[in-house]
Amino acid sequence: MSHHADYTDVEILGMIGTADASEVRPNQGPIIDPAYTARFAQAHEAGGFDRVLIGYGSGWSEGTQVAAYVAQHTERLGLLVAHRPGVVFPTLASRTFSTLDQFSGGRVAVHIITGGTDSEQRREGDYLTHDERYARTDEYLQILRGAWDEPGPRDYDGQYYKFEGFSPAVFPHQDRHLDLFFGGSSPAAYRVGAKHADTYMLWGEPLKETSEQIASVAEQARAAGRADRPRISVSFRPILGRTDEEAWERAHGILDTINGEVGKAFRQQVAKLHPQGQAPQNAGSQRLLAAAEKGDLHDRCLWTPTAKAVGGGGNSTALVGSPETVAAAILDYVDIGVNTVLIRGYEPLQDAIDYGARLLPLVRQELAHRVATRTPVAEAV
């Protein structure tokens, strides 16, 4: 179960949306801008990202259709589609993703989000409690896996789902294993995610807290009888400048914008998820706020005031500095066992282009260097 840093297989993910919007850029136009969506995805492909995450919200554009559109406008970019169990039947979901995987030539992975706040779940008619939702997710993922991995009719009689004679005819492209990503930081999340996930996604906490979370996931994977823990992904919002000084100037400008009039609309949206004056319900946001309470700056360049400004919502901790500084910080996480890093910016399209040009090459170069210079002695430790 020991997981030393693996420099050979580190994935770098981005995230796309269907309109030009962020905490510092209120969206003025339509919610779905097809030309922008295609350009945004193409910037990630050109920049060398492995996959892009397509997020989920009860009122947002539907992710599998976004992914299908993006697949038509790119050639190899992986599509990580966020999906909330319990909104549709798992039998339908299994076919939705395997169909998309066939049409895209094997580019699909699914990011399972069980749901962090009761109010957001109820917008789509889901009235289960937090722990019940995870119990349902456990069944849901069993059904998905079975539908993708095993032919033949099957019955299912569980607590949340029941069906007879389900016979899926559409399997993932070339019978491949469809990767499941999974998010959540509560005990129930660790339990279910460590059992089913190929990659477990965490928000960007300090190194010490991230190590603790990796240990929790590994422990639950052992308890579920797995030989190995899931891969670990961590998400950040890098703020780059040509120099560290320039990056910090930019970071403070971004924070002022989030806290000011421009960011007000975004903060009001967040307030609908996390009512003001109340702690957020989801453990991930609580953990980000706890890290922010300990101090603004952690480790090499992890900066938490951006998380505090949005009430802990979403992946909102920044890595601030020159491309060299931020690349070194990303490698610090790889050193403690992180396998996948998701990065997205406050200026979404321009930052994706910058990351591809200035940050990803440094990270990949350093990874290749470490693989090449690794000594056999270190392997044996």
Side-chain angles (χ1 to χ4, degrees):
M1 203 71 174
S2 68
H3 252 265
H4 294 300
D6 179 4
Y7 301 119
T8 57
D9 188 23
V10 175
E11 278 199 311
I12 301 177
L13 275 50
M15 184 172 178
I16 59 167
T18 56
D20 184 8
S22 80
E23 296 88 332
V24 301
R25 294 174 77 90
N27 183 29
Q28 309 295 353
I31 295 293
I32 297 183
D33 178 339
Y36 175 84
T37 306
R39 211 163 55 240
F40 201 6
Q42 287 158 357
H44 282 88
E45 179 157 274
F49 284 82
D50 293 296
R51 316 180 196 243
V52 285
L53 174 63
I54 296 161
Y56 189 106
S58 59
W60 299 359
S61 40
E62 198 282 308
T64 56
Q65 296 188 56
V66 177
Y69 177 80
V70 166
Q72 288 178 323
H73 290 86
T74 52
E75 286 170 20
R76 50 145 208 92
L77 187 65
L79 308 161
L80 177 57
V81 186
H83 180 66
R84 202 177 271 172
V87 179
V88 298
F89 273 93
T91 46
L92 170 61
S94 70
R95 303 197 306 282
T96 302
F97 290 114
S98 48
T99 302
L100 182 60
D101 198 52
Q102 288 286 351
F103 276 119
S104 66
R107 293 200 259 156
V108 174
V110 184
H111 178 36
I112 299 294
I113 303 170
T114 300
T117 60
D118 294 343
S119 58
E120 167 68 0
Q121 296 305 116
R122 287 173 184 173
R123 288 176 187 138
E124 295 195 278
D126 179 15
Y127 285 82
L128 293 189
T129 64
H130 177 277
D131 285 8
E132 286 173 330
R133 290 197 292 265
Y134 277 101
R136 180 183 58 196
T137 292
D138 195 1
E139 276 188 22
Y140 197 94
L141 296 183
Q142 272 170 0
I143 295 164
L144 279 191
R145 252 303 151 240
W148 292 332
D149 296 351
E150 302 145 24
R154 81 279 320 267
D155 302 343
Y156 191 90
D157 189 359
Q159 194 178 347
Y160 301 95
Y161 297 103
K162 181 175 180 172
F163 51 81
E164 292 169 28
F166 174 51
S167 301
V170 183
F171 296 93
H173 182 67
Q174 296 176 340
D175 289 330
R176 71 196 193 90
H177 174 90
L178 213 63
D179 276 347
L180 286 174
F181 286 62
F182 192 97
S185 294
S186 63
Y190 293 143
R191 205 163 46 246
V192 177
K195 181 175 168 184
H196 295 284
D198 297 292
T199 301
Y200 202 107
M201 297 192 86
L202 305 171
W203 283 334
E205 296 182 26
L207 291 162
K208 177 177 171 284
E209 283 81 349
T210 302
S211 286
E212 289 163 4
Q213 287 218 75
I214 295 174
S216 298
V217 172
E219 186 186 340
Q220 289 299 327
R222 274 195 300 274
R226 285 181 67 161
D228 216 341
R229 68 155 168 79
R231 291 166 61 85
I232 300 287
S233 173
V234 182
S235 301
F236 301 107
R237 310 290 295 272
I239 300 173
L240 299 182
R242 278 174 307 190
T243 62
D244 288 347
E245 291 72 30
E246 201 176 282
W248 280 109
E249 207 170 303
R250 194 179 155 212
H252 285 289
I254 287 169
L255 183 62
D256 289 346
T257 307
I258 295 174
N259 282 327
E261 276 305 305
V262 174
K264 197 172 178 179
F266 183 87
R267 293 200 312 278
Q268 283 165 345
Q269 281 175 329
V270 171
K272 287 182 196 159
L273 281 180
H274 304 305
Q276 294 306 296
Q278 296 176 25
Q281 285 183 345
N282 60 312
S285 293
Q286 291 165 7
R287 291 182 64 99
L288 289 188
L289 291 177
E293 281 307 314
K294 289 181 187 170
D296 287 354
L297 187 61
H298 300 258
D299 304 321
R300 195 184 293 265
C301 64
L302 181 74
W303 196 52
T304 56
T306 41
K308 207 168 178 176
V310 296
N315 71 306
S316 44
T317 48
L319 294 174
V320 183
S322 66
E324 291 75 12
T325 297
V326 173
I330 287 172
L331 266 294
D332 291 339
Y333 283 86
V334 176
D335 283 337
I336 63 165
V338 168
N339 315 91
T340 300
V341 180
L342 185 149
I343 52 174
R344 65 189 182 104
Y346 288 98
E347 302 285 346
L349 176 57
Q350 189 51 52
D351 282 341
I353 293 168
D354 287 348
Y355 298 157
R358 301 160 61 205
L359 181 59
L360 267 61
L362 291 179
V363 174
R364 301 228 192 261
Q365 194 183 329
E366 179 55 28
L367 288 167
H369 174 70
R370 292 190 184 188
V371 170
T373 56
R374 187 185 271 180
T375 58
V377 179
E379 291 277 340
V381 170

